[in-house]
Amino acid sequence: MLQRTLRTPALRSALSALSPRATSTTLLPRITSSLAQTRLLSQEVRTAIEKAVASAPVVLFMKGTPETPQCGFSRTSIQILGLQGVDPRKFTAFNVLEDEELRSGIKEYSDWPTIPQLYIDKEFVGGCDILINMHKDGSLAQLLAEKKVIIEDDTNPDSDAEGQQAQETRATTEQSTGARSKDAKGESS
């Protein structure tokens, strides 16, 4: 009997919305209130976010800038990306504090409630907590290596265009002077 008494008021209120007495006049305020709480992302903001996400292989939406993060989570995310060796030429960051539409829009775009947010090759990776876990278990290093967004090893100067150009300049200098040139470390080539 006690269980029936406890259930009855709950059932009555749940069923009252479905009763024949429920009309558009009684339901409309509930629906309107529910829709007012849900913000719809405008096409203009969605397009701007899509362009931002596609602007570099590694994109971080953060509070502040990489040089001056404005929250601890953004600072931690930048530090993790630095420790992982992300190539600065393949990385960009957007300060959500400069644009309220971006700040709220990126949360809706990714369906993730917090900032910072990391995207790699246009795919949402996660926030600071996800980055920390991926950094600890090695999966972030693996992902960044697969996407080829980390700085190449400096031991082989032929590994990139700048290294190749430096090697050619060094060889030309050696031919014209007859001497061995030294690199920045003072080592002969």
Side-chain angles (χ1 to χ4, degrees), residues 71-91:
C71 83
F73 298 115
S74 292
R75 181 181 317 282
T76 300
S77 298
I78 288 294
Q79 289 173 339
I80 288 172
L81 294 174
L83 288 170
Q84 293 291 331
V86 172
D87 188 339
R89 296 171 294 181
K90 298 179 179 179
F91 168 80

Side-chain angles (χ1 to χ4, degrees), residues 138-153:
S139 60
L140 183 59
Q142 182 180 359
L143 175 63
L144 294 169
E146 285 172 9
K147 301 297 184 178
K148 298 180 178 161
V149 295
I150 54 175
I151 297 173
E152 296 294 322
D153 186 11

Side-chain angles (χ1 to χ4, degrees), residues 59-146:
V59 177
L60 183 68
F61 292 91
M62 62 182 290
K63 292 178 181 176
T65 64
E67 297 79 23
T68 55
Q70 297 296 309
C71 83
F73 298 115
S74 292
R75 181 181 317 282
T76 300
S77 298
I78 288 294
Q79 289 173 339
I80 288 172
L81 294 174
L83 288 170
Q84 293 291 331
V86 172
D87 188 339
R89 296 171 294 181
K90 298 179 179 179
F91 168 80
T92 192
F94 291 91
N95 182 359
V96 300
L97 298 177
E98 292 178 349
D99 186 348
E100 183 56 39
E101 283 187 335
L102 175 63
R103 185 177 183 174
S104 58
I106 193 65
K107 292 176 184 180
E108 189 172 330
Y109 180 82
S110 63
D111 197 22
W112 192 259
T114 61
I115 293 170
Q117 295 184 11
L118 180 69
Y119 289 79
I120 298 177
D121 266 354
K122 302 177 193 170
E123 291 186 37
F124 177 65
V125 175
C128 184
D129 53 342
I130 303 297
L131 286 180
I132 291 170
N133 289 332
M134 290 178 74
H135 176 67
K136 286 180 180 176
D137 71 16
S139 60
L140 183 59
Q142 182 180 359
L143 175 63
L144 294 169
E146 285 172 9

